[in-house]
Each structure stands twice: as C-alpha cells, then as structure tokens.
Amino acid sequence: MDNQYLIRLDDACPTQNRERWLRIERILDRHNVCPMVGIVPDNRDPKLKCSKPDGSFWDRAREWQRKGWTIALHGLHHECHKCHGGLNPLWSDTEFVGLDYETQLRMLRTGVEILRKEGLGIDYFFAPSHTFDINTVRALKEVGIRYISDTIALRPYAAHGISFIPQIGGRCRKMYLSGTYTFCFHPNTMSEKDFNDLDRFLTDNISCFTSFDKLSLSNLSGMRWSDRLFRAIYFFRRNLKAPKK
C-alpha cells in the first residue's frame, strides 16, 4: 500500500495558545515531521484569542519556515458568516463563500502582503471552515498562490487552474486506500489525549509521513474516477451522520 501522510496545523496567530503550540512543535520535532502551518494574518475571531498577543510570534513563524515547515495563508481575519455550497461544502460557516471576486481579491491580497512583509514565502492557502468558492480560486491565482490544502480526494489533482492537496479528518488514523492524506489539527484546542494519540501514531507510522515540499505537484491531472467515487462516498456518509432537521 502506497500511502503518504501529512500534518496540517490550523489557526496560528499572535494570540494562539502558546503552551499548546510549543507542545505540538516539540512532538513534531522529535519525530522530524515538518507540517504545514496556516497563519491568520489579522485575527479578529474571539475564539482564537487564547492569550495576550505574543510579540515574538512572527519570529517564531520565521523559525518554522527556516526549519522546513510549510507556511500557508489561512484566510485574513478568520471572521465567518453563514453560507451554502462552495467548492468544498463541509460546513455552513465561511470567510469567503458568496463574496464577490473583488472583495475576495482585496482580502487575499491584504493577507499575502502581511505575511510576505514578515518574510514568509506563501504558495499555499486554506480557508477557515474549509469553505471557499470559484471566486476564491480566481483571486488566489491573481495573488500568486498555487496550492490549496483542502477538498476530498485520494491524491493531489489540478482543477480551475490551481492545484489541490486533499485534506481529510481532524486526527491521524490508518488509511487503507492508497493515497495522500492530510490530517488537520487545531493546537489551540487540543487535549492531553489528542497530544498523546498523535505522538503514539507518529511513533507507530513514521515511515508513512512526508512533508509538503516533497510532494510531486508538477503536471497534475484532474480528479480520477477513484477520487470522485471516494469524494461521493465521503459526503454520502457525512450526510447520513448529520443531525436531522
């Protein structure tokens, strides 16, 4: 079985829970795993205000980049509104879905400028609540971002003129279909059990883990029939588990 596992860390910002972020950093460093880190450039979400602003946050972000971690733009303010649809309809909250192209372009350009001003190279993006639409994709291409970490598929693919690296699940688990799987963590809210489970899974499965800069992302094709079937089954099962209205 030819599987590749990746780690993604969401919601990095100056008011993150520093103790928990240091904890997951120590675990990943011990296993020599380089994750993707999604940074909120100008956080306005009260849920991410876990501590007083850390004056050394941007130094820490630059250190992540120096040691091989992949930096991603994670929205702009992390302020969400209700939505329906989009290209990855996992949730009904969004920062982007439904906004016109010019508004999204302005938001993404502002976010990219903040991160680049801090010396961070930005080729990757993922949206708060995993939700975005075709205007988001158009605007991302305009600001020079080439990759989106999201959507459901078995392997990276190209669509709408941009490359997608699929993401599935908020915890590590053995995957029995051959593919590339990104496991997404939110360090700000992780429990003791979450940290221990991650540490144990890395110990038992470290040979399967890789980093985003080692993925083969050139000359990608579109979704294959196996990707479409996997996506259809995923959303079918998700809808079955959804609470009845």
Side-chain angles (χ1 to χ4, degrees):
M1 182 169 55
D2 181 22
N3 276 348
Q4 295 183 103
Y5 295 158
L6 298 149
I7 297 289
R8 195 182 93 183
L9 308 180
D10 290 28
D11 301 340
C13 63
T15 55
Q16 67 190 22
N17 186 309
R18 291 190 288 277
E19 180 180 343
R20 291 176 181 172
W21 275 85
L22 285 170
R23 176 92 181 268
I24 201 166
E25 184 171 356
R26 287 193 293 267
I27 291 172
L28 295 174
D29 284 351
R30 186 164 63 251
H31 292 282
N32 198 29
V33 170
C34 292
M36 175 184 289
V37 182
I39 297 180
V40 183
D42 181 24
N43 176 52
R44 297 181 186 176
D45 183 350
K47 294 179 181 177
L48 301 188
K49 294 181 179 180
C50 306
S51 64
K52 293 182 179 179
D54 181 2
S56 64
F57 171 78
W58 294 109
D59 290 331
R60 180 174 299 280
R62 287 185 285 271
E63 178 58 27
W64 290 336
Q65 182 172 260
R66 277 192 291 270
K67 64 183 181 180
W69 292 22
T70 297
I71 304 299
L73 176 68
H74 184 36
L76 176 59
H77 303 307
H78 212 276
E79 285 184 317
C80 290
H81 58 269
K82 293 300 179 182
C83 73
H84 297 283
L87 297 180
N88 193 46
L90 288 178
W91 304 107
S92 59
D93 294 320
T94 189
E95 188 172 15
F96 293 96
V97 174
L99 300 182
D100 64 81
Y101 170 75
E102 292 299 333
T103 298
Q104 295 201 42
L105 178 61
R106 185 165 56 251
M107 292 168 64
L108 293 169
R109 183 170 283 148
T110 299
V112 166
E113 287 174 353
I114 291 171
L115 297 192
R116 288 180 178 161
K117 183 179 179 181
E118 295 294 343
L120 301 172
I122 305 300
D123 287 324
Y124 298 81
F125 167 86
F126 57 90
S129 296
H130 308 265
T131 50
F132 57 95
D133 60 19
I134 193 63
N135 282 334
T136 321
V137 174
R138 290 176 57 212
L140 287 169
K141 291 189 292 183
E142 179 66 23
V143 300
I145 288 179
R146 299 183 293 164
Y147 307 107
I148 293 176
S149 167
D150 252 323
T151 68
I152 306 301
L154 291 170
R155 288 185 176 84
Y157 64 94
H160 309 294
I162 204 164
S163 298
F164 291 84
I165 305 166
Q167 185 276 316
I168 185 167
R171 62 181 178 85
C172 291
R173 61 187 185 276
K174 290 285 287 185
M175 304 301 292
Y176 295 100
L177 290 175
S178 180
T180 298
Y181 298 97
T182 303
F183 303 123
C184 166
F185 291 87
H186 296 76
N188 291 320
T189 57
M190 287 176 68
S191 66
E192 182 71 15
K193 182 179 184 302
D194 294 332
F195 287 115
N196 291 336
D197 287 348
L198 171 60
D199 198 3
R200 190 178 305 111
F201 190 89
L202 290 170
T203 299
D204 293 343
N205 301 277
I206 193 60
S207 64
C208 294
F209 279 86
T210 188
S211 55
F212 287 85
D213 62 347
K214 293 179 181 177
L215 294 177
S216 179
L217 299 176
S218 59
N219 301 316
L220 291 176
S221 60
M223 268 193 177
R224 296 169 296 182
W225 70 266
S226 53
D227 296 307
R228 296 183 188 280
L229 178 60
F230 182 72
R231 175 184 168 89
I233 292 172
Y234 176 90
F235 278 105
F236 176 75
R237 295 185 62 184
R238 184 181 178 86
N239 290 336
L240 282 181
K241 295 177 181 178
K244 304 301 180 184
K245 295 183 179 180

